[in-house]
Amino acid sequence: MKLTRNCFLVLIFCCVASQANSENNSLIQNVPGRAPQSLNGKWNYIIDPYETGYYDYRYKPFDEMKNPGNGAFFLDRKPKDKTDLIEYSFDDSPTLWVPGDWNSQDEKLLYYEGTIWYRRLFDYKKTVTDNRVYVHFGAVNYESDIYLNGKKLGKHIGGFTPFNYEITDLLKESGNSLVVKVDNKRKKESVPTLNTDWWNYGGITRDVSLVEVTKTFIQDYKIQLKKGFDNEITGFVQLNEGKAQQVVSINIPELKITIIARTDSTGKAIFSGKLKKIDLWSPENPKLYTVEVLCGENFVTDKIGFRTIETRGTDILLNGKSIFLRGICIHEENALRGGRAYSAQDAQMLLNSAKELNCNYVRLAHYPHSEYMVRLADEMGILVWEEDPVYWTIQWENPATLANAMQQLTDVISRDKNRACVIFWSMANETPVSDARNEFLKKLAVHARLLDDTRLISAALENHTNPNNPNEKIVEDPFADYVDIVNFNQYIGWYDGTPEKCDKVNWIIKYNKPVMISEFGGSALQGKHGDAQTRFTEEYQEDLYARTLNMLSKIPQFRGVTPWILYDFRSPKRVLPKIQDGWNRKGVIGQNGTKKKAFFVLKKFYDQMEVKYK
Ligand code: GCB
């Protein structure tokens, strides 16, 4: 009996899933470049901690029923007459701003983790009858079920990557109801898992837009320098349909180049072409070329930079020249507002601060940040590390967890594969070594290389102390054999002794690869002063920075560093009253935007490194 019931449920689930997948819902490349219509703005919302609008009283999901009835919120019903019983109303519910997290918009939602339903009404008239229309979400944290005019478009898992659904057949010219059930409950099997050191901001945290495209259109493309060459571009153009023999052209007008290719039966055209003289992209010269991709009447324009990145022995070579990465870690948060960063202005604020430090590089921790960040980094000449949210302890042996991590990695690579600024794909942060974890990370690394062989693979690893010598620190991790750059986090002077310990420590790192320190730091409450021995003072943090940088400079393979972190950030783990009050204080800039003393130590070091590597 039990078996029959389970089989039945599986069947129903398959129906819903295959319905959603019957359209082509692969990611659309370069949404900002396709004149999208924004659905940002005020959305009505209903807080639903018991998921009353999703499950009936027998805990069966309404969206798996033939006739869900009046309880299903996604139907966005109104009473037909005065006898009709409907116990919710989007029309009379308050509004939240989209994009944005819910926690910082309403005090009673600050700590909320659970389900909130969003609804937005809109009209849309296609410019050409035959065209297709997609709805695109920059990111929704963490799980979302999406419905248009009462029909389910699909379910998306993962809080930091984009997704889109074709809505052509469901779209009306007026009165469309787009309903999104967002659930940010942390779960053991999720990526990230239950335990993190950042705020679990919930909501539709990035832009929502409608994208109108021709019936056959350029869904995706990759245009990059061929691995190992600085005078040849290669890549692909993918149509949304499996149409063969379609002529595709890639034009770079400034270089007077046109490359023609033809699609195969899957609608994919692979191309390559020589370039005569090209101005390579670099932090000193963030040159972006206008690139046009055409197929019949459909075309997309993008701005793309070309550069090479590789390692040779212990050097990182950008366009063939050894570089030192003067970096800083960044969370996707606007500290001044105390909420998720989501706009072009937020990205500008964060990257301007990194520039003020004289950075040529940022680590976007601990999950993919918005497309605004990487597009702006491309323009500003800031190299970028992007990271899969495989953080601390996830379920290494759970195939669904691996599939989830793999999908998030796939989507960020898919979205940002044309950005010159992105040089690293990071698989994970501070994960404990075990056979299962090593296998998990190896699979991610193999997958990332398969999707993109032009960038470097890394992960923020850990270090350990020689049991016979407390001043000997060792970096040794089986996954280090699979990365291009050995990156590790270390907190000598904060979690491990006091800053003077830095003066005594000797590092043993037996890898003939570039070594970077992906985190170091300590907390200081901005404006709190004292001597350098007093925890949480700016002086302590300043001293820790000076001694750490001195210590790290002695590592022969040292080629870059991203201290933890640019701005203070919210974390429910940080409960010390009057000092932390829900904030991790390791920023070199405080919650109010004021630079701490450590900021200037770091800047001075970066000024010196810039000269050294000129
Ligand atoms: C780490 C983590 C980072 C934390 C930081 C800290 O190692 O990677 O997410 O916020 O330490 O402040 O303890």
Side-chain angles (χ1 to χ4, degrees), residues 343-372:
S343 62
Q345 290 78 0
D346 287 343
Q348 189 85 56
M349 178 191 116
L350 292 165
L351 294 182
N352 279 350
S353 298
K355 270 273 180 192
E356 279 189 65
L357 263 176
N358 196 12
C359 290
N360 59 3
Y361 166 60
V362 291
R363 174 184 178 207
L364 302 184
H366 281 300
Y367 39 75
H369 290 212
S370 82
E371 195 167 347
Y372 288 118

PDB file of all heavy atoms in Angstrom, residues 343-372:
ATOM      1  N   SER A 343      21.941  46.464  -6.283  1.00  0.00           N
ATOM      2  CA  SER A 343      21.813  47.401  -7.403  1.00  0.00           C
ATOM      3  C   SER A 343      23.174  47.773  -7.987  1.00  0.00           C
ATOM      4  O   SER A 343      24.225  47.467  -7.407  1.00  0.00           O
ATOM      5  CB  SER A 343      21.142  48.682  -6.906  1.00  0.00           C
ATOM      6  OG  SER A 343      21.966  49.272  -5.921  1.00  0.00           O
ATOM      7  N   ALA A 344      23.114  48.498  -9.097  1.00  0.00           N
ATOM      8  CA  ALA A 344      24.340  49.004  -9.704  1.00  0.00           C
ATOM      9  C   ALA A 344      25.038  49.962  -8.730  1.00  0.00           C
ATOM     10  O   ALA A 344      26.269  49.978  -8.618  1.00  0.00           O
ATOM     11  CB  ALA A 344      24.007  49.720 -11.006  1.00  0.00           C
ATOM     12  N   GLN A 345      24.241  50.731  -7.985  1.00  0.00           N
ATOM     13  CA  GLN A 345      24.818  51.691  -7.030  1.00  0.00           C
ATOM     14  C   GLN A 345      25.526  50.962  -5.891  1.00  0.00           C
ATOM     15  O   GLN A 345      26.597  51.368  -5.446  1.00  0.00           O
ATOM     16  CB  GLN A 345      23.726  52.583  -6.408  1.00  0.00           C
ATOM     17  CG  GLN A 345      23.094  53.579  -7.353  1.00  0.00           C
ATOM     18  CD  GLN A 345      22.063  52.949  -8.288  1.00  0.00           C
ATOM     19  OE1 GLN A 345      21.792  51.755  -8.248  1.00  0.00           O
ATOM     20  NE2 GLN A 345      21.501  53.752  -9.162  1.00  0.00           N
ATOM     21  N   ASP A 346      24.922  49.859  -5.420  1.00  0.00           N
ATOM     22  CA  ASP A 346      25.566  49.078  -4.356  1.00  0.00           C
ATOM     23  C   ASP A 346      26.905  48.513  -4.843  1.00  0.00           C
ATOM     24  O   ASP A 346      27.906  48.544  -4.130  1.00  0.00           O
ATOM     25  CB  ASP A 346      24.664  47.903  -3.920  1.00  0.00           C
ATOM     26  CG  ASP A 346      23.460  48.371  -3.109  1.00  0.00           C
ATOM     27  OD1 ASP A 346      23.481  49.509  -2.606  1.00  0.00           O
ATOM     28  OD2 ASP A 346      22.498  47.581  -2.995  1.00  0.00           O
ATOM     29  N   ALA A 347      26.879  47.992  -6.060  1.00  0.00           N
ATOM     30  CA  ALA A 347      28.105  47.428  -6.627  1.00  0.00           C
ATOM     31  C   ALA A 347      29.173  48.515  -6.732  1.00  0.00           C
ATOM     32  O   ALA A 347      30.346  48.309  -6.389  1.00  0.00           O
ATOM     33  CB  ALA A 347      27.824  46.821  -7.995  1.00  0.00           C
ATOM     34  N   GLN A 348      28.740  49.698  -7.159  1.00  0.00           N
ATOM     35  CA  GLN A 348      29.666  50.823  -7.292  1.00  0.00           C
ATOM     36  C   GLN A 348      30.279  51.184  -5.937  1.00  0.00           C
ATOM     37  O   GLN A 348      31.495  51.401  -5.825  1.00  0.00           O
ATOM     38  CB  GLN A 348      28.890  52.024  -7.846  1.00  0.00           C
ATOM     39  CG  GLN A 348      29.747  53.209  -8.233  1.00  0.00           C
ATOM     40  CD  GLN A 348      30.305  53.074  -9.649  1.00  0.00           C
ATOM     41  OE1 GLN A 348      29.546  52.905 -10.593  1.00  0.00           O
ATOM     42  NE2 GLN A 348      31.625  53.133  -9.780  1.00  0.00           N
ATOM     43  N   MET A 349      29.454  51.216  -4.907  1.00  0.00           N
ATOM     44  CA  MET A 349      29.947  51.567  -3.574  1.00  0.00           C
ATOM     45  C   MET A 349      31.012  50.555  -3.113  1.00  0.00           C
ATOM     46  O   MET A 349      32.085  50.929  -2.644  1.00  0.00           O
ATOM     47  CB  MET A 349      28.781  51.568  -2.584  1.00  0.00           C
ATOM     48  CG  MET A 349      29.184  51.874  -1.172  1.00  0.00           C
ATOM     49  SD  MET A 349      27.818  51.544  -0.022  1.00  0.00           S
ATOM     50  CE  MET A 349      28.534  50.223   0.922  1.00  0.00           C
ATOM     51  N   LEU A 350      30.713  49.272  -3.300  1.00  0.00           N
ATOM     52  CA  LEU A 350      31.635  48.230  -2.831  1.00  0.00           C
ATOM     53  C   LEU A 350      32.945  48.264  -3.623  1.00  0.00           C
ATOM     54  O   LEU A 350      34.038  48.234  -3.046  1.00  0.00           O
ATOM     55  CB  LEU A 350      30.972  46.853  -2.944  1.00  0.00           C
ATOM     56  CG  LEU A 350      29.791  46.634  -1.979  1.00  0.00           C
ATOM     57  CD1 LEU A 350      28.967  45.415  -2.381  1.00  0.00           C
ATOM     58  CD2 LEU A 350      30.288  46.489  -0.543  1.00  0.00           C
ATOM     59  N   LEU A 351      32.824  48.352  -4.932  1.00  0.00           N
ATOM     60  CA  LEU A 351      34.051  48.300  -5.740  1.00  0.00           C
ATOM     61  C   LEU A 351      34.844  49.610  -5.657  1.00  0.00           C
ATOM     62  O   LEU A 351      36.077  49.598  -5.742  1.00  0.00           O
ATOM     63  CB  LEU A 351      33.726  47.913  -7.184  1.00  0.00           C
ATOM     64  CG  LEU A 351      33.192  46.486  -7.346  1.00  0.00           C
ATOM     65  CD1 LEU A 351      32.944  46.148  -8.809  1.00  0.00           C
ATOM     66  CD2 LEU A 351      34.130  45.446  -6.741  1.00  0.00           C
ATOM     67  N   ASN A 352      34.159  50.736  -5.444  1.00  0.00           N
ATOM     68  CA  ASN A 352      34.900  51.989  -5.211  1.00  0.00           C
ATOM     69  C   ASN A 352      35.752  51.863  -3.948  1.00  0.00           C
ATOM     70  O   ASN A 352      36.903  52.308  -3.917  1.00  0.00           O
ATOM     71  CB  ASN A 352      33.940  53.163  -5.008  1.00  0.00           C
ATOM     72  CG  ASN A 352      33.426  53.712  -6.331  1.00  0.00           C
ATOM     73  OD1 ASN A 352      33.919  53.340  -7.398  1.00  0.00           O
ATOM     74  ND2 ASN A 352      32.440  54.589  -6.263  1.00  0.00           N
ATOM     75  N   SER A 353      35.181  51.253  -2.912  1.00  0.00           N
ATOM     76  CA  SER A 353      35.938  51.095  -1.661  1.00  0.00           C
ATOM     77  C   SER A 353      37.151  50.195  -1.881  1.00  0.00           C
ATOM     78  O   SER A 353      38.227  50.443  -1.338  1.00  0.00           O
ATOM     79  CB  SER A 353      35.062  50.494  -0.560  1.00  0.00           C
ATOM     80  OG  SER A 353      33.986  51.343  -0.274  1.00  0.00           O
ATOM     81  N   ALA A 354      36.961  49.145  -2.686  1.00  0.00           N
ATOM     82  CA  ALA A 354      38.091  48.259  -2.991  1.00  0.00           C
ATOM     83  C   ALA A 354      39.171  49.030  -3.761  1.00  0.00           C
ATOM     84  O   ALA A 354      40.368  48.885  -3.492  1.00  0.00           O
ATOM     85  CB  ALA A 354      37.611  47.064  -3.800  1.00  0.00           C
ATOM     86  N   LYS A 355      38.753  49.889  -4.668  1.00  0.00           N
ATOM     87  CA  LYS A 355      39.709  50.703  -5.433  1.00  0.00           C
ATOM     88  C   LYS A 355      40.473  51.656  -4.518  1.00  0.00           C
ATOM     89  O   LYS A 355      41.667  51.889  -4.697  1.00  0.00           O
ATOM     90  CB  LYS A 355      38.964  51.518  -6.500  1.00  0.00           C
ATOM     91  CG  LYS A 355      38.828  50.791  -7.816  1.00  0.00           C
ATOM     92  CD  LYS A 355      40.043  51.032  -8.696  1.00  0.00           C
ATOM     93  CE  LYS A 355      39.880  50.288 -10.000  1.00  0.00           C
ATOM     94  NZ  LYS A 355      41.068  50.217 -10.812  1.00  0.00           N
ATOM     95  N   GLU A 356      39.749  52.206  -3.544  1.00  0.00           N
ATOM     96  CA  GLU A 356      40.408  53.128  -2.603  1.00  0.00           C
ATOM     97  C   GLU A 356      41.526  52.439  -1.824  1.00  0.00           C
ATOM     98  O   GLU A 356      42.469  53.073  -1.377  1.00  0.00           O
ATOM     99  CB  GLU A 356      39.389  53.695  -1.610  1.00  0.00           C
ATOM    100  CG  GLU A 356      38.585  54.842  -2.161  1.00  0.00           C
ATOM    101  CD  GLU A 356      37.765  55.489  -1.054  1.00  0.00           C
ATOM    102  OE1 GLU A 356      38.345  56.058  -0.113  1.00  0.00           O
ATOM    103  OE2 GLU A 356      36.522  55.370  -1.126  1.00  0.00           O
ATOM    104  N   LEU A 357      41.371  51.138  -1.653  1.00  0.00           N
ATOM    105  CA  LEU A 357      42.420  50.353  -0.976  1.00  0.00           C
ATOM    106  C   LEU A 357      43.586  50.048  -1.919  1.00  0.00           C
ATOM    107  O   LEU A 357      44.540  49.402  -1.529  1.00  0.00           O
ATOM    108  CB  LEU A 357      41.830  49.019  -0.533  1.00  0.00           C
ATOM    109  CG  LEU A 357      41.328  48.815   0.868  1.00  0.00           C
ATOM    110  CD1 LEU A 357      40.716  47.417   0.991  1.00  0.00           C
ATOM    111  CD2 LEU A 357      42.445  48.972   1.885  1.00  0.00           C
ATOM    112  N   ASN A 358      43.427  50.448  -3.159  1.00  0.00           N
ATOM    113  CA  ASN A 358      44.376  50.114  -4.231  1.00  0.00           C
ATOM    114  C   ASN A 358      44.358  48.625  -4.565  1.00  0.00           C
ATOM    115  O   ASN A 358      45.399  48.013  -4.816  1.00  0.00           O
ATOM    116  CB  ASN A 358      45.789  50.594  -3.908  1.00  0.00           C
ATOM    117  CG  ASN A 358      46.663  50.599  -5.151  1.00  0.00           C
ATOM    118  OD1 ASN A 358      46.167  50.455  -6.282  1.00  0.00           O
ATOM    119  ND2 ASN A 358      47.971  50.736  -4.962  1.00  0.00           N
ATOM    120  N   CYS A 359      43.171  48.049  -4.539  1.00  0.00           N
ATOM    121  CA  CYS A 359      43.021  46.642  -4.936  1.00  0.00           C
ATOM    122  C   CYS A 359      43.002  46.519  -6.454  1.00  0.00           C
ATOM    123  O   CYS A 359      42.468  47.388  -7.146  1.00  0.00           O
ATOM    124  CB  CYS A 359      41.688  46.088  -4.433  1.00  0.00           C
ATOM    125  SG  CYS A 359      41.605  45.862  -2.660  1.00  0.00           S
ATOM    126  N   ASN A 360      43.539  45.416  -6.942  1.00  0.00           N
ATOM    127  CA  ASN A 360      43.337  45.065  -8.355  1.00  0.00           C
ATOM    128  C   ASN A 360      42.511  43.789  -8.465  1.00  0.00           C
ATOM    129  O   ASN A 360      42.387  43.201  -9.535  1.00  0.00           O
ATOM    130  CB  ASN A 360      44.669  44.907  -9.096  1.00  0.00           C
ATOM    131  CG  ASN A 360      45.547  43.828  -8.484  1.00  0.00           C
ATOM    132  OD1 ASN A 360      45.148  43.152  -7.535  1.00  0.00           O
ATOM    133  ND2 ASN A 360      46.752  43.676  -9.022  1.00  0.00           N
ATOM    134  N   TYR A 361      41.941  43.366  -7.305  1.00  0.00           N
ATOM    135  CA  TYR A 361      41.319  42.040  -7.248  1.00  0.00           C
ATOM    136  C   TYR A 361      40.345  41.988  -6.082  1.00  0.00           C
ATOM    137  O   TYR A 361      40.590  42.615  -5.039  1.00  0.00           O
ATOM    138  CB  TYR A 361      42.461  41.035  -7.056  1.00  0.00           C
ATOM    139  CG  TYR A 361      42.091  39.642  -6.652  1.00  0.00           C
ATOM    140  CD1 TYR A 361      41.277  38.852  -7.451  1.00  0.00           C
ATOM    141  CD2 TYR A 361      42.596  39.091  -5.469  1.00  0.00           C
ATOM    142  CE1 TYR A 361      40.964  37.547  -7.068  1.00  0.00           C
ATOM    143  CE2 TYR A 361      42.291  37.795  -5.090  1.00  0.00           C
ATOM    144  CZ  TYR A 361      41.478  37.025  -5.894  1.00  0.00           C
ATOM    145  OH  TYR A 361      41.166  35.756  -5.519  1.00  0.00           O
ATOM    146  N   VAL A 362      39.227  41.270  -6.245  1.00  0.00           N
ATOM    147  CA  VAL A 362      38.302  41.046  -5.128  1.00  0.00           C
ATOM    148  C   VAL A 362      37.880  39.587  -5.083  1.00  0.00           C
ATOM    149  O   VAL A 362      37.762  38.932  -6.122  1.00  0.00           O
ATOM    150  CB  VAL A 362      37.030  41.936  -5.211  1.00  0.00           C
ATOM    151  CG1 VAL A 362      37.352  43.398  -4.974  1.00  0.00           C
ATOM    152  CG2 VAL A 362      36.287  41.762  -6.537  1.00  0.00           C
ATOM    153  N   ARG A 363      37.675  39.126  -3.860  1.00  0.00           N
ATOM    154  CA  ARG A 363      37.088  37.789  -3.688  1.00  0.00           C
ATOM    155  C   ARG A 363      35.617  37.991  -3.338  1.00  0.00           C
ATOM    156  O   ARG A 363      35.301  38.529  -2.264  1.00  0.00           O
ATOM    157  CB  ARG A 363      37.796  37.042  -2.556  1.00  0.00           C
ATOM    158  CG  ARG A 363      37.121  35.717  -2.236  1.00  0.00           C
ATOM    159  CD  ARG A 363      37.768  35.021  -1.047  1.00  0.00           C
ATOM    160  NE  ARG A 363      37.056  33.789  -0.760  1.00  0.00           N
ATOM    161  CZ  ARG A 363      36.998  33.217   0.438  1.00  0.00           C
ATOM    162  NH1 ARG A 363      37.633  33.753   1.468  1.00  0.00           N
ATOM    163  NH2 ARG A 363      36.327  32.113   0.623  1.00  0.00           N
ATOM    164  N   LEU A 364      34.734  37.591  -4.233  1.00  0.00           N
ATOM    165  CA  LEU A 364      33.298  37.708  -3.976  1.00  0.00           C
ATOM    166  C   LEU A 364      32.881  36.474  -3.177  1.00  0.00           C
ATOM    167  O   LEU A 364      32.676  35.396  -3.713  1.00  0.00           O
ATOM    168  CB  LEU A 364      32.517  37.838  -5.286  1.00  0.00           C
ATOM    169  CG  LEU A 364      32.932  39.023  -6.173  1.00  0.00           C
ATOM    170  CD1 LEU A 364      32.029  39.137  -7.402  1.00  0.00           C
ATOM    171  CD2 LEU A 364      32.923  40.344  -5.400  1.00  0.00           C
ATOM    172  N   ALA A 365      32.809  36.665  -1.857  1.00  0.00           N
ATOM    173  CA  ALA A 365      32.533  35.554  -0.939  1.00  0.00           C
ATOM    174  C   ALA A 365      31.044  35.569  -0.604  1.00  0.00           C
ATOM    175  O   ALA A 365      30.417  36.619  -0.644  1.00  0.00           O
ATOM    176  CB  ALA A 365      33.333  35.753   0.350  1.00  0.00           C
ATOM    177  N   HIS A 366      30.498  34.482  -0.240  1.00  0.00           N
ATOM    178  CA  HIS A 366      30.852  33.068  -0.269  1.00  0.00           C
ATOM    179  C   HIS A 366      29.917  32.351  -1.228  1.00  0.00           C
ATOM    180  O   HIS A 366      29.589  31.195  -1.043  1.00  0.00           O
ATOM    181  CB  HIS A 366      30.667  32.442   1.107  1.00  0.00           C
ATOM    182  CG  HIS A 366      31.746  32.720   2.084  1.00  0.00           C
ATOM    183  ND1 HIS A 366      33.051  32.358   1.865  1.00  0.00           N
ATOM    184  CD2 HIS A 366      31.744  33.293   3.300  1.00  0.00           C
ATOM    185  CE1 HIS A 366      33.782  32.696   2.912  1.00  0.00           C
ATOM    186  NE2 HIS A 366      33.008  33.279   3.789  1.00  0.00           N
ATOM    187  N   TYR A 367      29.455  33.092  -2.241  1.00  0.00           N
ATOM    188  CA  TYR A 367      28.387  32.645  -3.157  1.00  0.00           C
ATOM    189  C   TYR A 367      28.446  33.589  -4.358  1.00  0.00           C
ATOM    190  O   TYR A 367      29.068  34.661  -4.266  1.00  0.00           O
ATOM    191  CB  TYR A 367      27.016  32.754  -2.445  1.00  0.00           C
ATOM    192  CG  TYR A 367      26.949  34.008  -1.585  1.00  0.00           C
ATOM    193  CD1 TYR A 367      26.779  35.265  -2.170  1.00  0.00           C
ATOM    194  CD2 TYR A 367      27.171  33.957  -0.205  1.00  0.00           C
ATOM    195  CE1 TYR A 367      26.800  36.421  -1.411  1.00  0.00           C
ATOM    196  CE2 TYR A 367      27.195  35.119   0.558  1.00  0.00           C
ATOM    197  CZ  TYR A 367      26.999  36.348  -0.056  1.00  0.00           C
ATOM    198  OH  TYR A 367      27.052  37.503   0.686  1.00  0.00           O
ATOM    199  N   PRO A 368      27.817  33.249  -5.448  1.00  0.00           N
ATOM    200  CA  PRO A 368      27.852  34.167  -6.596  1.00  0.00           C
ATOM    201  C   PRO A 368      27.139  35.496  -6.281  1.00  0.00           C
ATOM    202  O   PRO A 368      26.014  35.490  -5.788  1.00  0.00           O
ATOM    203  CB  PRO A 368      27.093  33.398  -7.684  1.00  0.00           C
ATOM    204  CG  PRO A 368      27.182  31.955  -7.281  1.00  0.00           C
ATOM    205  CD  PRO A 368      27.162  31.961  -5.781  1.00  0.00           C
ATOM    206  N   HIS A 369      27.821  36.598  -6.563  1.00  0.00           N
ATOM    207  CA  HIS A 369      27.209  37.921  -6.379  1.00  0.00           C
ATOM    208  C   HIS A 369      26.452  38.298  -7.652  1.00  0.00           C
ATOM    209  O   HIS A 369      26.468  37.567  -8.632  1.00  0.00           O
ATOM    210  CB  HIS A 369      28.290  38.959  -6.080  1.00  0.00           C
ATOM    211  CG  HIS A 369      28.925  38.804  -4.733  1.00  0.00           C
ATOM    212  ND1 HIS A 369      29.392  39.872  -4.019  1.00  0.00           N
ATOM    213  CD2 HIS A 369      29.163  37.704  -3.964  1.00  0.00           C
ATOM    214  CE1 HIS A 369      29.899  39.445  -2.864  1.00  0.00           C
ATOM    215  NE2 HIS A 369      29.774  38.130  -2.818  1.00  0.00           N
ATOM    216  N   SER A 370      25.836  39.479  -7.632  1.00  0.00           N
ATOM    217  CA  SER A 370      24.980  39.845  -8.756  1.00  0.00           C
ATOM    218  C   SER A 370      25.804  40.159 -10.015  1.00  0.00           C
ATOM    219  O   SER A 370      27.001  40.448  -9.942  1.00  0.00           O
ATOM    220  CB  SER A 370      24.135  41.064  -8.400  1.00  0.00           C
ATOM    221  OG  SER A 370      24.889  42.236  -8.589  1.00  0.00           O
ATOM    222  N   GLU A 371      25.122  40.150 -11.141  1.00  0.00           N
ATOM    223  CA  GLU A 371      25.785  40.438 -12.410  1.00  0.00           C
ATOM    224  C   GLU A 371      26.311  41.875 -12.436  1.00  0.00           C
ATOM    225  O   GLU A 371      27.270  42.178 -13.145  1.00  0.00           O
ATOM    226  CB  GLU A 371      24.793  40.174 -13.559  1.00  0.00           C
ATOM    227  CG  GLU A 371      25.465  40.083 -14.904  1.00  0.00           C
ATOM    228  CD  GLU A 371      24.563  39.525 -16.002  1.00  0.00           C
ATOM    229  OE1 GLU A 371      23.490  38.965 -15.696  1.00  0.00           O
ATOM    230  OE2 GLU A 371      24.950  39.668 -17.171  1.00  0.00           O
ATOM    231  N   TYR A 372      25.681  42.768 -11.662  1.00  0.00           N
ATOM    232  CA  TYR A 372      26.179  44.152 -11.607  1.00  0.00           C
ATOM    233  C   TYR A 372      27.643  44.176 -11.170  1.00  0.00           C
ATOM    234  O   TYR A 372      28.433  44.980 -11.658  1.00  0.00           O
ATOM    235  CB  TYR A 372      25.369  44.976 -10.600  1.00  0.00           C
ATOM    236  CG  TYR A 372      23.972  45.315 -11.048  1.00  0.00           C
ATOM    237  CD1 TYR A 372      22.868  44.869 -10.344  1.00  0.00           C
ATOM    238  CD2 TYR A 372      23.759  46.097 -12.180  1.00  0.00           C
ATOM    239  CE1 TYR A 372      21.577  45.192 -10.744  1.00  0.00           C
ATOM    240  CE2 TYR A 372      22.475  46.420 -12.596  1.00  0.00           C
ATOM    241  CZ  TYR A 372      21.383  45.965 -11.873  1.00  0.00           C
ATOM    242  OH  TYR A 372      20.121  46.281 -12.287  1.00  0.00           O
TER     243      TYR A 372
END
